[in-house]
Amino acid sequence: MTVADPTAVGNDAAHRAAAHLVADLPPAPAVWCSALRKRYGSRPAVDDVSLEVGRGEVVGLLGPNGAGKTTVIKMLLGLVHPDAGEVMLLGRPAADPAARARVGYLPELFRYQPWLSAAEVLTLHVRLSGVGVPAREQRDCLSLVGLAERAGDRVGGFSKGMQQRLGLAVALVARPELVILDEPTSALDPLGRADVRDIVLELKSRDVAVLLNSHLIGEVERVCDRVVMLDRGRVAAEGTLLELLGQREVRLQLTDLSPAAEARLAATGDVEQAGDWFTVALPAADDRTAVPDLVRDLVALGARVYAVEPARISLEDRLLGILREGSVSRSGGDR
Amino acid sequence: MTTARTVLTIAALTLREASRRRVLLALAVLTVLLLALSGWGFSRLAAESTLTSGETRLAASQILNLVMFGFSLIAALGTAFLAGPTLSGETESGIALSVLARPIRRSAFLLGKWLGLVVFGSGFVVLAGLAQCLIVRWTVDYWPPQPAAALALLAAQTIVLLTLSLLLSTVISPMASGVVAVGLFGATWVAGVVGGIGEALGNDGVARVGTVSRMLLPTDGLWRGAMHAFQDPSVFTSFGEEMAGFPFLSEAPLTATYLAWAALWVAMVWGVAAASFLRKDM
């Protein structure tokens, strides 16, 4: 008995230390999946896709038609069974339905019970999610997507755009910590698209993670922290916008360029000239002094500076570049 | 607890769908029509015939069974065509996507759908059947020997068919599942009649057709049990051989073994439906 007590105390201390250690760990990512694979017949739809969405992070999923974006999303949500791979949602294995308790989802194919009213659809989803959301909060959710006036109307009479707005409300109503939006603006007018952008940014400000699949690259570029590009079922590229778009450039309109000034331009980085427009690649390790220093030196060397424009490779150009590279290397490999 | 809540929520949703989609209204109109027609027919039978009381009971038994067959047909068509769209229609249209992405088990979703359809189909059959029994009592003063058992068996027949169409709707399109379920229902009934004729003629091979079909799909077996509970028990003692093989009279009550088989059949088919639905990619 006297021997047993000290070990018990020791165990207790170890448990507490372990509990502290676990409590101090950062929260598990909102989405974590590893080596997902899915075949439809002999055609691989998704091949070895791994991705992660951190808490409060907005991640864009990009890629051409048939790249496997929707299949990946459906595998995350347990709607499609992966042939291989693992999925964790908000720190729980996705095989457990409870992992989806705080997940909101707007499917690409958005349809809701046409015989229910918009408000009843939300009530149904709140009940299924097991989260107690008061009626007032549900109404607020409908007004957020601009459907407050139509709360009592049957969904069967809604236009496609209104159904997509309702889908957005369904995704947001059960106080999600992760929202998965699959082509959320496909049926929306420009005003609706702006609304979606605001909603995503608002979610981000509340630390809600968002996985956004969209064809509209501009939309992704404006709201996403990180981008994952899929091509033919594989991750073709991923990273933050800065990492992906990386290289920055500056465009200058110059005249009266002396050889010394030309040398100064060339010393900064690769130069391309079109008439009196010069595009200069900036060094990767630029601490934001390269452009003012360059302009100061050019002026000192007698050049006349008419315009200085920061330039950036657009996400669209980068995406097209990656996809073309992929198809070139594939056709090379086929031979 | 959460699974129970899911099942009840989906069951209530299915019932609401039935009422909002006017299925309830259509059924009510058909039922009232059939009740009114049969009520008129029975009252004429009582007023104009010169039959003995025994013959009247025989006629009432037969006609009651005939009308009940009409109800079971309406229930079969109604639930089969409701079960198809409600499951495969929802997965095809995309309605199921956002629902199944909620923290619910697919088996709970399927059980909820099934429960809603069971309440709907059995509720209809029991209410309409009871109304019919009351009309017969009122017009020709005939009351079936075991009305509760008869109505329960009619409800069981509906449950068998809707479970089958639920299974079909997990593998084929909504319309095809309704057509196949109703087709099988009709085929089993015809096989039952053929088997009855075989028995009356003493031809074992033909009689076996009915026995086998009643095992494969218990709708006809349950229906015969229900008929037996509706009809006057003296029919066969007073008319005997001449009524053998008649499709709207049943010679023997159901055995407990057959009832157990029907329950097992429903459980097995539901299990297969659940397995198929669980593996389905949405």
Side-chain angles (χ1 to χ4, degrees):
Chain A
M1 195 67 196
T2 45
V3 183
D5 273 341
T7 38
V9 169
N11 277 342
D12 205 30
H15 277 146
R16 241 175 300 156
H20 272 294
L21 203 65
V22 171
D24 291 343
L25 283 176
V31 177
W32 176 89
C33 74
S34 167
L36 284 182
R37 282 174 205 277
K38 181 70 189 178
R39 276 178 168 278
Y40 289 117
S42 63
R43 187 181 63 84
V46 172
D47 190 7
D48 198 20
V49 167
S50 304
L51 63 89
E52 197 174 312
V53 180
R55 299 281 178 145
E57 192 181 28
V58 180
V59 173
L61 204 52
L62 287 176
N65 292 333
K69 299 172 302 223
T70 295
T71 306
V72 166
I73 284 177
K74 285 183 173 177
M75 284 195 281
L76 297 180
L77 291 162
L79 296 170
V80 165
H81 302 290
D83 295 334
E86 248 186 290
V87 178
M88 305 272 281
L89 293 178
L90 301 164
R92 303 180 80 148
D96 178 6
R100 300 192 293 269
R102 291 300 181 118
V103 179
Y105 171 47
L106 168 65
E108 182 187 27
L109 190 61
F110 49 89
R111 277 288 306 278
Y112 298 88
Q113 290 76 1
W115 67 91
L116 290 181
S117 73
E120 286 168 338
V121 169
L122 287 201
T123 307
L124 169 71
H125 279 267
V126 163
R127 200 168 297 157
L128 291 176
S129 73
V131 180
V133 179
R136 165 179 286 276
E137 201 178 318
Q138 295 180 27
R139 271 200 304 277
D140 291 348
C141 201
L142 275 180
S143 20
L144 181 70
V145 299
L147 286 178
E149 311 274 288
R150 308 293 299 264
D153 295 355
R154 293 268 173 98
V155 176
F158 279 18
S159 70
K160 278 204 119 183
M162 283 163 65
Q163 289 213 30
Q164 196 161 34
R165 283 171 180 272
L166 175 63
L168 205 56
V170 167
L172 301 176
V173 73
R175 299 184 191 150
E177 290 170 24
L178 164 67
V179 176
I180 297 180
L181 304 175
D182 197 351
E183 297 288 357
T185 55
S186 57
L188 297 184
D189 53 21
L191 211 62
R193 276 182 226 150
D195 285 350
V196 170
R197 202 161 55 224
D198 292 345
I199 288 171
V200 171
L201 291 173
E202 196 267 337
L203 288 171
K204 186 169 152 182
S205 73
R206 286 195 286 125
D207 225 23
V208 175
V210 179
L211 181 61
L212 173 70
N213 171 24
S214 176
H215 272 116
L216 300 174
I217 299 174
E219 199 170 82
V220 170
E221 203 166 1
R222 271 185 226 171
V223 298
C224 292
D225 301 311
R226 226 152 45 76
V227 171
V228 176
M229 286 185 191
L230 291 186
D231 183 26
R232 304 204 181 190
R234 289 174 159 276
V235 176
E238 72 165 305
T240 61
L241 285 179
L242 196 68
E243 282 166 356
L244 276 181
L245 306 177
Q247 199 179 21
R248 294 195 306 134
E249 298 169 330
V250 64
R251 274 158 50 84
L252 302 149
Q253 194 182 13
L254 307 167
T255 59
D256 303 317
L257 215 57
S258 63
E262 275 180 30
R264 175 65 183 86
L265 272 181
T268 312
D270 291 340
V271 182
E272 275 177 48
Q273 187 183 355
D276 52 2
W277 279 97
F278 294 80
T279 306
V280 183
L282 295 172
D286 174 26
D287 54 356
R288 296 173 54 82
T289 58
V291 175
D293 288 356
L294 176 64
V295 173
R296 183 198 59 208
D297 294 350
L298 287 173
V299 171
L301 291 166
R304 293 169 72 80
V305 181
Y306 295 88
V308 180
E309 290 175 359
R312 195 175 208 183
I313 300 169
S314 74
L315 188 56
E316 186 165 7
D317 288 341
R318 186 81 176 101
L319 177 67
L320 288 174
I322 289 169
L323 296 180
R324 285 198 191 109
E325 261 169 48
S327 67
V328 166
S329 67
R330 249 193 316 278
S331 61
D334 289 347
R335 252 180 263 133
Chain B
M1 184 58 209
T2 50
T3 304
R5 191 186 53 214
T6 305
V7 171
L8 292 179
T9 305
I10 299 294
L13 186 71
T14 309
L15 284 174
R16 186 142 58 153
E17 176 179 7
S19 73
R20 293 248 175 118
R21 280 198 189 264
R22 307 274 165 90
V23 180
L24 211 57
L25 188 69
L27 275 183
V29 170
L30 277 175
T31 309
V32 169
L33 212 66
L34 197 56
L35 286 174
L37 266 175
S38 72
W40 179 72
F42 276 113
S43 66
R44 292 293 88 203
L45 181 74
E48 290 178 7
S49 68
T50 51
L51 301 174
T52 63
S53 66
E55 287 167 335
T56 307
R57 291 169 82 78
L58 170 66
S61 281
Q62 287 178 24
I63 298 172
L64 179 63
N65 280 347
L66 185 66
V67 177
M68 287 300 177
F69 184 72
F71 282 128
S72 75
L73 203 62
I74 294 176
L77 287 167
T79 49
F81 278 98
L82 198 61
T86 197
L87 195 67
S88 57
E90 281 190 12
T91 52
E92 255 178 33
S93 70
I95 291 179
L97 286 178
S98 57
V99 171
L100 292 174
R102 289 294 168 196
I104 62 173
R105 292 190 184 280
R106 284 196 194 181
S107 50
F109 177 83
L110 190 72
L111 191 60
K113 284 272 175 209
W114 182 81
L115 192 64
L117 291 168
V118 163
V119 170
F120 181 77
S122 326
F124 164 74
V125 164
V126 168
L127 283 180
L130 190 63
Q132 183 61 49
C133 289
L134 290 171
I135 283 178
V136 172
R137 179 178 201 168
W138 183 47
T139 49
V140 292
D141 195 28
Y142 173 76
W143 187 245
Q146 297 166 287
L151 292 174
L153 287 172
L154 271 189
Q157 182 202 5
T158 313
I159 293 170
V160 163
L161 196 68
L162 76 87
T163 310
L164 175 69
S165 45
L166 208 61
L167 167 65
L168 290 171
S169 71
T170 63
V171 280
I172 51 180
S173 76
M175 203 182 285
S177 67
V179 170
V180 173
V182 172
L184 285 176
F185 171 80
T188 320
W189 183 77
V190 171
V193 173
V194 170
I197 292 170
E199 272 166 34
L201 299 175
N203 184 330
D204 285 347
V206 176
R208 209 167 293 133
V209 172
T211 316
V212 170
S213 76
R214 277 197 282 280
M215 293 307 282
L216 291 179
L217 180 64
T219 48
D220 187 55
L222 292 168
W223 160 243
R224 278 163 186 278
M227 278 201 299
H228 190 84
F230 276 128
Q231 78 204 8
D232 185 46
S234 65
V235 165
F236 279 97
T237 49
S238 41
F239 294 92
E241 289 296 300
E242 53 189 289
M243 296 312 293
F246 186 73
F248 291 105
L249 287 176
S250 174
E251 289 167 41
L254 287 186
T255 59
T257 323
Y258 188 78
L259 285 176
W261 164 246
L264 183 68
W265 189 95
V266 168
M268 282 192 316
V269 170
W270 193 90
V272 177
S276 153
F277 187 57
L278 252 57
R279 289 194 330 168
K280 201 179 170 94
D281 284 334
M282 297 291 151

